[in-house]
Amino acid sequence: MNETIVEVKNITKSFKSFTALHDVSLTLENGKIYGLIGQNGAGKTTLMRLLCGFSYPTSGTIELFGKIKEKELVEERERIGCIIENPGLIPNMSAIENLEYHRILRGIPDEDCTLELLETVGLPDTKKKTKDFSLGMKQRLGIAIALLGNPELLILDEPINGLDPVGVVEIRELIKRLCKERHITILISSHNLPELYQTATDYIILHQGEVKQILTLEELEDKCRHHLKISCDNTQKLLLILEQQLKTDNFIVMPDQTVKLYDYVNEKEKVAKAIFDNDMYPLNFSLEGDTLENYFISVVGRNEE
């Protein structure tokens, strides 16, 4: 059984009349990569800031590494590395100078760790100033800074946002390597949902400040299985056909009234005949498989409805 390193219970965070997070509860276990999925304004950065101690909840509790008292949390947060919003690099310094600056600022005595970290993130021989870095190089240096002090939990806010395909692959492989080789638990937010699908082991869907779903990669793959996509001019009548004649409720209705039927995938003719026998004519009838984006939309849309 994996060790629980973060437990958030009924967290609410309000800014005057605006509630950024509402009654959020979740658990992070050791050695996993958690993908935090949500639109702009969903509350992803707010949640990360609360975990890092940059902000405090209006109500609810945060437990880190088994500790819950505020004085204890201050100490336990030394076991967390993070990049939130931007890496905080000094433009006129080189990579090694930036790392040295942050090492001294945080009182870390190990002078040899900076070269090791540059090697880890793939920047061992970089001499130029960070203002001349590519975005991918800046992100990797930011991760190196976050790794100072050998954290057990790494929190990364949109680390692949704006990167080219090569940069995305480099950051993805670095994150997976850190989890596997250093046994670091990682919480990563991103708008690049297919990329999260190739990176994360678990997923947290956050929408309008609320956790809509928490699921493993295996559960997500099951949710994204093949289905029949059907749309007609009378969705309610179509649902009655599925429920009463085909005896299934294994479907979901999308916001655009398209129906995704997960039964009868290999019996398309039977479904089509039932529809035609009831004087219905499909506007769309196709075999498809969900992408991560489509599944996310279905979760958010279903909850909004």
Side-chain angles (χ1 to χ4, degrees):
M1 186 173 180
N2 289 334
E3 175 190 2
T4 296
I5 64 170
V6 174
E7 188 157 5
V8 172
K9 295 181 181 178
N10 308 114
I11 283 290
T12 293
K13 178 61 178 178
S14 299
F15 301 91
K16 295 184 179 180
S17 61
F18 173 68
T19 300
L21 294 174
H22 177 69
D23 199 30
V24 168
S25 296
L26 56 89
T27 298
L28 304 184
E29 295 181 342
N30 182 49
K32 294 186 176 183
I33 302 174
Y34 290 88
L36 185 57
I37 305 171
Q39 299 165 302
N40 286 332
K44 303 187 300 297
T45 300
T46 299
L47 176 59
M48 290 178 160
R49 290 179 62 84
L50 291 176
L51 293 178
C52 293
F54 300 152
S55 183
Y56 297 93
T58 305
S59 62
T61 59
I62 297 175
E63 183 177 311
L64 300 176
F65 305 100
K67 304 296 176 61
I68 197 167
K69 295 180 180 179
E70 192 56 44
K71 185 177 180 180
E72 295 174 326
L73 291 181
V74 172
E75 297 177 357
E76 296 305 315
R77 285 190 172 103
E78 294 181 3
R79 302 163 71 177
I80 298 176
C82 68
I83 303 178
I84 296 182
E85 295 176 339
N86 63 73
L89 305 180
I90 300 174
N92 288 318
M93 286 186 178
S94 66
I96 189 71
E97 289 170 340
N98 267 276
L99 266 179
E100 277 292 296
Y101 170 80
H102 284 276
R103 180 187 68 79
I104 294 170
L105 192 66
R106 294 174 55 181
I108 297 171
D110 183 8
E111 296 182 10
D112 296 329
C113 72
T114 52
L115 291 175
E116 178 191 344
L117 287 174
L118 288 177
E119 183 75 35
T120 298
V121 301
L123 296 171
D125 303 314
T126 304
K127 305 292 189 225
K128 59 185 178 181
K129 298 183 188 305
T130 56
K131 66 181 180 180
D132 299 319
F133 278 16
S134 67
L135 183 56
M137 292 172 69
K138 290 178 180 177
Q139 291 293 71
R140 281 184 280 155
L141 180 55
I143 292 174
I145 293 171
L147 290 172
L148 284 166
N150 296 316
E152 298 169 53
L153 171 63
L154 187 62
I155 296 178
L156 305 175
D157 187 15
E158 301 278 0
I160 57 176
N161 189 31
L163 297 184
D164 61 29
V166 174
V168 168
V169 172
E170 290 175 345
I171 297 298
R172 178 215 306 163
E173 295 305 317
L174 173 58
I175 289 170
K176 294 169 74 171
R177 193 169 72 250
L178 289 172
C179 181
K180 182 178 179 180
E181 296 178 1
R182 295 194 174 209
H183 308 290
I184 300 175
T185 302
I186 300 172
L187 176 64
I188 172 176
S189 68
S190 177
H191 288 111
N192 192 329
L193 304 185
E195 185 56 39
L196 276 186
Y197 185 77
Q198 299 182 67
T199 307
T201 61
D202 294 76
Y203 301 84
I204 302 165
I205 298 179
L206 195 63
H207 182 62
Q208 294 182 349
E210 298 182 2
V211 172
K212 295 302 183 183
Q213 269 193 8
I214 300 176
L215 64 168
T216 65
L217 175 60
E218 291 75 18
E219 290 169 335
L220 180 61
E221 288 176 336
D222 182 62
K223 298 285 186 182
C224 293
R225 66 191 185 277
H226 283 88
H227 60 273
L228 293 176
K229 182 177 180 181
I230 311 169
S231 62
C232 297
D233 57 4
N234 190 332
T235 303
Q236 292 305 313
K237 186 176 179 181
L238 173 61
L239 299 184
L240 288 175
I241 295 170
L242 297 179
E243 291 173 343
Q244 296 178 4
Q245 292 187 229
L246 297 176
K247 309 298 182 185
T248 179
D249 60 1
N250 192 16
F251 57 78
I252 61 172
V253 181
M254 299 295 289
D256 65 356
Q257 298 302 297
T258 296
V259 175
K260 293 184 178 182
L261 175 63
Y262 293 100
D263 286 340
Y264 297 99
V265 171
N266 297 317
E267 298 178 274
K268 299 185 291 295
E269 297 82 0
K270 188 173 183 178
V271 178
K273 185 176 186 302
I275 294 173
F276 284 122
D277 286 348
N278 284 273
D279 297 322
M280 297 264 298
Y281 300 93
L283 303 174
N284 184 23
F285 189 93
S286 58
L287 176 63
E288 297 191 12
D290 263 337
T291 63
L292 182 57
E293 292 104 321
N294 286 341
Y295 180 69
F296 170 76
I297 291 169
S298 73
V299 171
V300 170
R302 183 166 66 249
N303 280 282
E304 286 182 335
E305 290 177 344

